[in-house]
């Protein structure tokens, strides 16, 4: 189980595809409240992912890492790599770091720094700092139509990053600041996945979307064992999001649906609440274009957030699915 902990809503960049969107507040997690939450919950089966905003802006980040280390199975920090000084301030350096890098040097600086900030060089400085202290790290890349071709160039360069553990590549999602017109079609994304699998010289974390050939082979081999999936993204069974005020959400794209607050209840109580069961027991509706689909027992309607943000209700299905698009005449 993964627990994403947002330390703040502030960021030192202004990316136009941020999944969280532009925050109108400047919320920072309170240290004393965190201590209370750690004391009143058992997180021993959770992996903690510290994020934001930009978590390295929190003045108590090193102390937060130290406090959380003994309560979680592991700790990771997701950062844009702009700051590296926090690393040396950490007494406990048993954590992993994920750094965002969305293109080659010039392209990434345009995407993340509007061409005015040399974000790329600061990332290299952060990587050097992590290597100095033998801290593991991976690169996370988000792909849209605007950086699609540049990712192929990045693929030929990324192996030069010293001690890179793996390269995580994901498509831009149409949430937060992202412009829907920049979102890749399923065909474009799957073509890129195939290219990277054939050409990348580093370990990849990546997957195809709506791979019907693969699903058909699975169903042919397991005709008597096709059942609902263990997890839809957003069904609170494999990951949850905790915001700076300790409100708990099923996903960062489902913040219209708070399921509790850790200052009022334990996480175990929250995950067994009626609000949480709306997501843990998630099923598509009978009027969904998914309802009679032969793949429904496997995908269960896909991303819950996609249903809510496109159809404005839960249970309608993932609009990115080519079969849904065909039925509803959606142009991707």
């Amino acid at each position: 189980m993964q627990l994403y902990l947002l330390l703040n809503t502030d960021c030192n960049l202004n990316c136009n595809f941020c999944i969280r969107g532009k925050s109108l507040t400047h919320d920072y997690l309170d240290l004393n409240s965190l201590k209370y939450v750690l004391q009143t919950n058992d997180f021993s089966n959770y992996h903690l992912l510290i994020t934001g905003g930009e978590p390295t802006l929190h003045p108590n980040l090193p102390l937060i890492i130290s406090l959380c280390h003994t309560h979680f199975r592991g700790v990771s920090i997701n950062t844009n790599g702009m700051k590296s000084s926090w690393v040396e301030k950490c007494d406990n350096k048993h954590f992993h770091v994920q750094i965002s890098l969305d293109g080659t040097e010039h392209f990434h600086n345009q995407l993340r720094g509007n061409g005015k900030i040399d974000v790329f060089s600061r990332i290299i400085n952060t990587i050097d700092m992590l290597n100095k202290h033998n801290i593991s790290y991976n690169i996370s890349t988000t792909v849209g139509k605007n950086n699609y071709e540049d990712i192929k160039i990045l693929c030929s360069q990324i192996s030069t990053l010293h001690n890179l553990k793996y390269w995580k590549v994901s498509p831009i999602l149409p949430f937060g600041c992202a412009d829907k017109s920049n979102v890749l079609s399923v065909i474009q994304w799957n073509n890129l996945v195939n290219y990277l699998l054939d050409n990348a010289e580093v370990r990849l974390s990546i997957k195809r979307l709506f791979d019907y050939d693969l699903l058909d082979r699975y169903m042919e081999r397991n005709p008597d064992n096709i059942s609902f999936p263990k997890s839809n993204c957003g069904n609170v069974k494999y990951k949850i999001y905790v915001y700076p005020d300790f409100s708990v959400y099923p996903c960062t794209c489902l913040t219209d649906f708070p399921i509790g607050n850790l200052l009022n209840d334990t996480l175990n109580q929250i995950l067994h609440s009626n609000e949480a069961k709306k997501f843990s027991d998630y099923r598509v509706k009978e009027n969904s274009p998914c309802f009679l689909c032969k793949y429904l027992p496997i995908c269960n309607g896909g991303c819950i957030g996609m249903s809510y943000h496109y159809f404005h209700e839960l249970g309608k299905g993932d609009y990115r699915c080519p079969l849904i698009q065909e039925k509803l005449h959606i142009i991707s």
Side-chain angles (χ1 to χ4, degrees), residues 46-319:
Y46 289 78
H47 185 97
L48 177 67
L49 294 98
I50 295 175
T51 184
E54 171 51 41
T56 63
L57 297 179
H58 198 294
N60 292 315
L61 174 60
L63 180 55
I64 290 171
I65 294 172
S66 181
L67 287 171
C68 291
H69 183 263
T70 57
H71 291 271
F72 290 85
R73 292 180 61 183
V75 176
S76 298
I77 296 91
N78 296 350
T79 175
N80 58 30
M82 284 283 289
K83 297 182 68 176
S84 59
S85 58
W86 63 274
V87 177
E88 290 199 315
K89 296 176 183 177
C90 293
D91 294 330
N92 188 321
K93 294 184 172 63
H94 298 288
F95 53 83
H96 176 82
V97 177
Q98 176 170 286
I99 303 172
S100 298
L101 179 62
D102 302 310
T104 55
E105 181 172 2
H106 174 75
F107 216 101
H108 184 75
N109 287 339
Q110 290 293 327
L111 284 174
R112 294 272 179 169
N114 297 318
K116 299 176 182 179
I117 305 173
D118 189 357
V119 184
F120 188 91
S121 293
R122 297 191 187 188
I123 288 174
I124 298 303
N125 290 339
T126 296
I127 291 174
D128 289 342
M129 181 68 74
L130 296 174
N131 282 329
K132 175 183 175 182
H133 294 283
N134 296 313
I135 297 171
S136 67
Y137 76 96
N138 74 279
I139 294 298
S140 176
T141 298
T142 304
V143 188
K145 291 179 181 178
N146 59 349
N147 62 337
Y148 185 84
E149 293 299 329
D150 190 70
I151 298 306
K152 297 177 183 179
I153 302 173
L154 179 63
C155 177
S156 66
Q157 299 177 357
I158 201 163
S159 61
T160 63
L161 297 179
H162 189 51
N163 292 329
L164 174 67
K165 190 169 184 179
Y166 62 92
W167 183 21
K168 178 183 177 183
V169 188
S170 308
I172 281 179
L173 299 178
F175 308 132
C177 297
D179 183 348
K180 188 180 173 185
S181 65
N182 191 32
V183 175
L184 297 173
S185 69
V186 169
I187 292 175
Q188 289 173 316
W189 170 250
N190 287 343
N191 285 342
L192 180 63
V193 173
N194 292 339
Y195 177 89
L196 295 180
L197 289 173
D198 288 341
N199 292 278
E201 297 179 355
V202 298
R203 180 184 170 195
L204 279 172
S205 174
I206 194 171
K207 63 180 179 180
R208 298 181 183 91
L209 292 173
F210 305 102
D211 189 340
Y212 300 122
D213 290 337
L214 181 63
L215 294 177
D216 285 336
R217 290 199 298 272
Y218 171 78
M219 295 171 75
E220 289 170 3
R221 293 175 184 175
N222 302 277
D224 300 321
N225 189 31
I226 299 174
S227 59
F228 279 106
K230 294 180 179 179
S231 175
N232 287 75
C233 180
N235 79 344
V236 306
K237 292 181 180 178
Y238 286 85
K239 65 179 178 180
I240 54 164
Y241 287 77
V242 179
Y243 273 58
D245 65 351
F246 294 95
S247 292
V248 181
Y249 299 93
C251 185
T252 199
C253 63
L254 291 168
T255 52
D256 287 346
F257 300 93
I259 59 174
N261 189 292
L262 289 174
L263 298 180
N264 302 324
D265 298 291
T266 66
L267 184 54
N268 186 58
Q269 290 171 326
I270 291 170
L271 294 180
H272 289 87
S273 67
N274 289 331
E275 291 302 315
K277 288 180 180 178
K278 293 178 183 177
F279 299 93
S280 60
D281 297 337
Y282 182 79
R283 293 290 184 269
V284 298
K285 296 178 178 178
E286 291 188 14
N287 63 353
S288 162
C290 300
F291 191 71
L292 298 177
C293 178
K294 72 174 184 177
Y295 301 113
L296 180 63
I298 299 176
C299 79
N300 195 31
C303 173
I304 299 174
M306 288 290 179
S307 171
Y308 179 65
H309 284 274
Y310 186 84
F311 295 107
H312 307 294
E313 61 179 299
L314 302 175
K316 297 293 285 186
D318 189 331
Y319 88 92

